[in-house]
Amino acid sequence: MATALAALTTYLDEYLRVREVRDSPQALNGLQVENSGTVSRIAAAVDVCQATIDAAAERRADLLLVHHGLFWAGLLPVVGREARRLKKLFAADLAVYAAHIPLDCHPEVGNNIVLARMLGLEAVGWFGEYEGREIGVVGRLDVTRDELVSRLRAKLGVDPHVIATGPTKPERVGIVTGGAGNMIREARDAQVDTFITGEGAHYTHFDAEEWGLNVIYAGHYATETVGVKALAAHLEQRFDLPWEFIDHPTGL
């Protein structure tokens, strides 16, 4: 069943609160590229890039739903790579909708809350301020650190990097997916003893070590696959739109 792109976009804007949740200007949350006006099939991906555009076109999707949109590099001339991407989108009549921080912090389909549910965390609050809004999830989990790492490995299909400088039996686990290694201090201030994110800088090892936290880096890409999948599944239920996830891992 086809759905009007305008109706779908209006719903997504309201559901994800894209006008309320502040973000980087380059994120440009919402509809980034329009198509001829209807959607009958959705492709979901973490990133919009040539590979995911090509894959979505091959699957005859009308909408590419992503976490990281087209404009992260800022204002660029539409030549070379940028031109090729747009030409393929227009030729395939493929719309692009992006949701960055609005998807991270969403209380139902957000990356952080979905990953918490997948790991069996009992969510008890939020932490980690970004542009005036707390985006990270704090939860309780009655398992060992090793079991938590095993769950991440099984759920995300990755081998996490573990800075095991906190308790072997975590009590308060914090999650901010993606590249949130710089939020270890905020995790500590929220009494988190085990912090899960995607990746972080070299110096964050010493943050974890000297503040006595476990930090688990489970991959920027891998930790952010969960939100777009949950959002696409939500749209399937609400609008009866089939969807498919396009997996294009970066290994980061």
Side-chain angles (χ1 to χ4, degrees):
M1 179 183 296
T3 299
L5 177 65
L8 192 60
T9 298
T10 297
Y11 176 78
L12 282 168
D13 287 351
E14 294 176 357
Y15 182 63
L16 296 171
R17 304 169 296 175
V18 297
R19 302 292 176 256
E20 302 171 30
V21 178
R22 294 177 62 186
D23 204 340
S24 164
Q26 289 92 332
L28 199 61
N29 294 306
L31 187 66
Q32 295 190 339
V33 177
E34 67 179 9
N35 66 5
S36 59
T38 60
V39 176
S40 58
R41 186 173 186 83
I42 296 171
V46 175
D47 308 281
V48 58
C49 61
Q50 194 66 56
T52 56
I53 292 169
D54 291 345
E58 288 172 8
R59 290 158 174 78
R60 299 186 181 278
D62 309 291
L63 174 65
L64 180 56
L65 184 68
V66 298
H67 184 48
H68 301 131
L70 281 164
F71 303 107
W72 285 105
L75 292 173
L76 291 172
V78 182
V79 298
R81 180 183 71 171
E82 283 65 37
R84 288 192 296 272
R85 289 177 173 181
L86 290 173
K87 284 178 182 178
K88 188 59 177 281
L89 289 168
F90 295 147
D93 198 25
L94 180 60
V96 176
Y97 189 100
H100 184 233
I101 295 300
L103 184 59
D104 283 327
C105 68
H106 196 273
E108 296 174 358
V109 297
N111 283 312
N112 298 316
I113 197 70
V114 171
L115 184 55
R117 288 199 301 261
M118 290 171 65
L119 296 174
L121 264 71
E122 176 194 354
V124 296
W126 297 81
F127 81 103
E129 186 174 302
Y130 181 89
E131 294 288 345
R133 182 181 296 269
E134 291 183 326
I135 63 172
V137 173
V138 177
R140 296 192 179 96
L141 187 64
D142 188 22
V143 299
T144 65
R145 179 179 61 210
D146 289 345
E147 172 59 24
L148 178 57
V149 173
S150 294
R151 289 186 186 185
L152 275 165
R153 186 178 292 115
K155 295 294 185 182
L156 299 181
V158 297
D159 190 18
H161 175 76
V162 182
I163 306 173
T165 49
T168 58
K169 185 73 180 295
E171 293 185 3
R172 281 174 63 88
V173 178
I175 300 176
V176 182
T177 60
N182 62 343
M183 286 188 169
I184 295 174
R185 180 188 294 272
E186 293 188 55
R188 179 206 64 176
D189 292 346
Q191 286 79 54
V192 165
D193 58 47
T194 300
F195 180 50
I196 299 169
T197 187
E199 61 178 336
H202 177 79
Y203 71 84
T204 61
H205 176 93
F206 310 109
D207 291 344
E209 183 177 72
E210 294 172 10
W211 290 332
L213 278 70
N214 298 308
V215 173
I216 304 173
Y217 288 135
H220 193 138
Y221 176 85
T223 59
E224 295 192 328
T225 59
V226 299
V228 287
K229 290 179 181 179
L231 180 58
H234 174 80
L235 293 177
E236 180 180 38
Q237 286 187 332
R238 186 169 183 90
F239 293 95
D240 194 26
L241 290 170
W243 67 279
E244 184 174 353
F245 180 67
I246 298 172
D247 193 20
H248 189 63
T250 62
L252 300 174

